[in-house]
Every structure is written in structure tokens, then in C-alpha cells.
Amino acid sequence: MQQHYYNMEHHPPTRTRKLKSDFISTLPQNIIEDILTRIPLQEALRTSVLSKKWRHTWRGMPKLVFTDNMVNHLRIQLNKYKLISAIFHVLLFHNGPTIVEFRCSVGELHMESEFAQILSVLARGNTVKEFIFISDNRSNKLPVSFFALQGLEHVHLENCTLEPPLTFNGVSSLTVMNFQNVEVSAQVLQHFISKCPLLQSFILIEVGKGIESVPAGGNNFTLVDLFQCVPLLEGFGITKHYMKYLCAGGMPHKLPASLVHLSYLFLHVCLVEQNEISSALCIIRSSPVLGRIVFLMDNNDKSPVQQTPANFLDPEGYPDLNLDHLEMLEIHNYSNLPLEMEFVKLIIAKSPELEEVRIRLNSNVSADEERKMLKEMLLLPFPRASPSAKLIIVSP
């Protein structure tokens, strides 16, 4: 073990050196704000005792995060009002020109009516750029005051219901929208995104039901309609129930207008459903600059009948499918079915710049099946546009 010895000869223990200046008070304002955003809000408020300069610095914090774990759940009702009081206190004294991020995770506190008042206060200043709201109650309807936040650039909503007022005219500055377990009708979704002309990233995720079930008379809002509303889209993700609803009735061979900016695509699909695989191929075919594709397979091994012809994914049948910019293909919940294998081969055959194929196996795939898959993908001849692409298999 290395030991260090210090010579105390010139530093008598009876004397204490005095700092020549108050170091923390000389820090630039942007450094102070960066420090405050990296610590919990309670600790940021306590920095007011550090020095005269820091006494009111927290009032200009660009990031405000309120969560239900800031209070003790043993006395939920009492602590709910403590949290609400703290939020209003911070907003009342906040004097920064911009709130870069406002995050509120209410969990079990059920503060719907109070939250509407909080949003009303935020809307008066209209300075919030990023808004994150997380609830544990999907029926929790976003208050009308939310739609008055016209300066928003990023929105992340979890477990709530979205129903804009009739007077809603969109958010002209919104670029990123993430909906997770959000109850929203197809009509409302179309109206909302059509009023956000700068939208670049759009994620639709659900655990249970997505939009509503497909109506008997057909679907009046499809993926084709959705993409026409977001011409600047760079990143798109959609999971099972939304996908099933929006591609009901089939998709065209190619979208009317190409997604010329789309570089990231996440799809949750069932390959044995004709509508879903056709929709996936339509999106890919219409996206000339895709750099990364991520697929989550939807229990293909549990579907009783494969409705897709065996030669449906023959690369020779797709002369107009060119993935000239694709570098990464990632597949989750891979069951090693013949149709899944053909799908992977099709992407590999059409991607000359491909660098990596990462496949995460379903837990039902045995070791023997895994070895067979590796043999087929590494040893058997099939078209490879990028022979140097790495293949990574991740077992459960």
C-alpha cells in the first residue's frame, strides 16, 4: 500500500488560514444555475444560506422538479398540501426569464384540481420550454390551462387523458412530444399534431389500450394521415395498440410524401399481421435517410396462423427499398420464426452502410434454436449489402 506523509513544519496547528475571498460568491451565474439544476429542489432552496449572493439565486432556476417522493406518504393528505404549498411558493418567487424544464410527478397524491391552478400560474408567464407530467391515474384529465402554455418545445405526458378545448390552436414551437399511456381519441390526436407544425420527434407508447378500438365502419385516421401532419419528423416511435388502430384497413405501397427527415424509427409490430408488416415496410420504403431502426416483435410465436406468404419478404421483390443510410438495426423479443428471419435478411440485403445488427432473443428461444439461427445468419449464403456489419445476439 502506498503511503503519503505530509510535512506540517511550516503550518502551526494553532493558526487557521483565512480565505482571501468568498469563492462560491464569485462563480459565474451560468455555473451557479447549472449546479442548482443538478441537485434536488429542496437542496437548491437551502443554498440561500451559503452567501448573500446565493440568497436569491434559486429564484432564477431554469429547471423545477416536483415529485410525490418529496413528501412522506404516511400522511398523504397532509403532505399533499405541503407539496402544493411548496410548488406555489417556488412559482411565486421565481423570477427567471425562462423555466427550461417543469416536471411534476404526483403519483398517489391525486392533486388534479390543485394542478390546474399550478398550470394557470405557469401559463401567465408563458416561459416553460419543457413540460413533464407523470400521474398514476390514466383518467386524470389534463386541465384546460395546460393548453395555454404556448412557449412549449418539449412535452412528456404519462398516465393522463388529453382533451383540448375547441379553441385550441396548437403549439407553434413544439418540437418533441412523448405520450405514454395517454388516453386520446383519434380525432383529438389528429387535431393536436396538425396544430404543431415544427414537430420533429413523436413517440406513442402504451401498456394497455392505446387509442380506441377500431370502429366497425373503418378507421378515419391512419398512419398516412398522421405522417401528413408532421412533415419535419426526424424521430418516430409507436407501440402495439396505436399501431393496430392506425394501420387498420391497410397501407399504400408508399406514402404520398416521403419522410425526408426521418432518421430514427421504433415500431412495435406483429409480423404475422398483414396490415402491420405492410405498414412497417411502407414507412421504411418512404424514409430515405433512416439511420437506425428498432423493432419490438409482438409475440409472433403465439399467433395461430401465419397470414403472410413465405416468399413475401424476398429481397428481389423490393427493388425500390433502399436503406442507403441505415447503420443500426435492433430487434427485441425475437422468436426466431422463419418470417422474422426473412425480415432481418431483407433489411441486411438493402443496407450498404449497415454497421451493426443487434438481436435480443425471446425467452422461449432454446440454446439449440439460437445455434441454428447463428449458423443460418453467419454461414449460409444470402445477399448482404454490407458484409462487414457486426451481428450481436443477446440471450435473455
Side-chain angles (χ1 to χ4, degrees), residues 188-351:
V188 167
L189 180 62
Q190 182 178 20
H191 177 67
F192 191 95
I193 62 176
S194 66
K195 298 294 184 178
C196 303
L198 298 183
L199 201 60
Q200 297 174 5
S201 177
F202 185 28
I203 306 296
L204 282 165
I205 298 175
E206 91 297 321
V207 176
K209 185 177 71 172
I211 308 182
E212 63 254 25
S213 58
V214 180
N219 182 9
N220 295 322
F221 180 57
T222 66
L223 279 174
V224 175
D225 301 315
L226 186 152
F227 287 126
Q228 287 179 337
C229 296
V230 284
L232 301 180
L233 201 62
E234 298 177 4
F236 178 67
I238 186 170
T239 50
K240 182 171 58 177
H241 292 283
Y242 291 106
M243 185 75 175
K244 187 177 291 293
Y245 180 90
L246 292 171
C247 69
M251 290 280 284
H253 178 77
K254 195 173 183 179
L255 293 174
S258 294
L259 303 172
V260 295
H261 302 285
L262 190 66
S263 60
Y264 171 80
L265 177 65
F266 170 86
L267 295 177
H268 184 183
V269 296
C270 179
L271 288 184
V272 297
E273 292 287 343
Q274 184 73 51
N275 285 343
E276 294 188 35
I277 191 172
S278 297
S279 299
L281 291 171
C282 172
I283 297 172
I284 293 173
R285 189 183 286 111
S286 306
S287 307
V289 298
L290 276 176
R292 183 181 180 189
I293 299 177
V294 180
F295 282 101
L296 173 60
M297 298 302 179
D298 180 27
N299 295 325
N300 295 328
D301 57 331
K302 296 182 181 179
S303 300
V305 179
Q306 292 192 9
Q307 305 172 19
T308 307
N311 61 349
F312 180 69
L313 296 175
D314 185 349
E316 294 184 2
Y318 294 85
D320 58 343
L321 181 63
N322 300 302
L323 295 168
D324 295 335
H325 299 273
L326 189 68
E327 297 179 352
M328 175 73 176
L329 172 65
E330 188 171 347
I331 299 180
H332 297 254
N333 199 35
Y334 186 89
S335 300
N336 197 31
L337 295 177
L339 197 59
E340 292 177 327
M341 178 65 74
E342 295 304 312
F343 188 77
V344 173
K345 289 180 179 179
L346 173 64
I347 302 298
I348 292 177
K350 298 293 184 176
S351 308

Side-chain angles (χ1 to χ4, degrees), residues 10-252:
H10 302 292
H11 303 284
T14 56
R15 296 184 59 187
T16 302
R17 286 192 168 186
K18 185 178 180 180
L19 291 176
K20 294 182 179 180
S21 63
D22 181 2
F23 174 72
I24 62 173
S25 295
T26 62
L27 291 173
Q29 184 64 24
N30 63 318
I31 299 297
I32 293 176
E33 290 181 353
D34 186 61
I35 292 173
L36 292 177
T37 58
R38 295 173 184 270
I39 60 178
L41 184 58
Q42 303 100 306
E43 302 302 323
L45 296 178
R46 294 189 182 112
T47 61
S48 60
V49 303
L50 292 177
S51 69
K52 290 182 179 180
K53 182 177 180 180
W54 281 69
R55 182 171 299 169
H56 303 295
T57 300
W58 67 268
R59 296 185 181 184
M61 286 178 60
K63 180 178 178 180
L64 303 178
V65 179
F66 302 96
T67 62
D68 56 354
N69 59 16
M70 293 171 64
V71 296
N72 189 340
H73 279 245
L74 295 178
R75 301 175 67 184
I76 290 179
Q77 194 63 25
L78 174 61
N79 287 307
K80 179 178 82 168
Y81 291 109
K82 286 184 178 180
L83 177 60
I84 293 168
S85 176
I87 294 175
F88 278 115
H89 175 80
V90 171
L91 294 181
L92 177 64
F93 288 99
H94 192 275
N95 56 12
T98 301
I99 299 176
V100 176
E101 178 184 331
F102 182 86
R103 179 192 297 260
C104 189
S105 176
V106 296
E108 301 177 3
L109 295 183
H110 306 300
M111 43 189 282
E112 291 82 3
S113 60
E114 294 85 0
F115 187 62
Q117 299 174 39
I118 292 169
L119 290 185
S120 296
V121 174
L122 286 174
R124 291 172 190 167
N126 201 25
T127 60
V128 182
K129 299 300 180 184
E130 182 173 354
F131 180 83
I132 301 171
F133 176 66
I134 302 172
S135 171
D136 69 342
N137 183 3
R138 195 163 178 169
S139 63
N140 187 1
K141 183 179 176 181
L142 275 176
V144 174
S145 50
F146 164 75
F147 302 97
L149 298 172
Q150 289 297 302
L152 288 176
E153 296 176 1
H154 294 202
V155 169
H156 179 103
L157 304 177
E158 288 188 30
N159 299 313
C160 62
T161 297
L162 183 73
E163 191 175 327
L166 295 176
T167 55
F168 177 66
N169 290 318
V171 183
S172 60
S173 56
L174 192 65
T175 60
V176 177
M177 188 163 69
N178 189 331
F179 286 178
Q180 183 167 327
N181 295 328
V182 174
E183 285 284 352
V184 56
S185 70
Q187 182 181 6
V188 167
L189 180 62
Q190 182 178 20
H191 177 67
F192 191 95
I193 62 176
S194 66
K195 298 294 184 178
C196 303
L198 298 183
L199 201 60
Q200 297 174 5
S201 177
F202 185 28
I203 306 296
L204 282 165
I205 298 175
E206 91 297 321
V207 176
K209 185 177 71 172
I211 308 182
E212 63 254 25
S213 58
V214 180
N219 182 9
N220 295 322
F221 180 57
T222 66
L223 279 174
V224 175
D225 301 315
L226 186 152
F227 287 126
Q228 287 179 337
C229 296
V230 284
L232 301 180
L233 201 62
E234 298 177 4
F236 178 67
I238 186 170
T239 50
K240 182 171 58 177
H241 292 283
Y242 291 106
M243 185 75 175
K244 187 177 291 293
Y245 180 90
L246 292 171
C247 69
M251 290 280 284

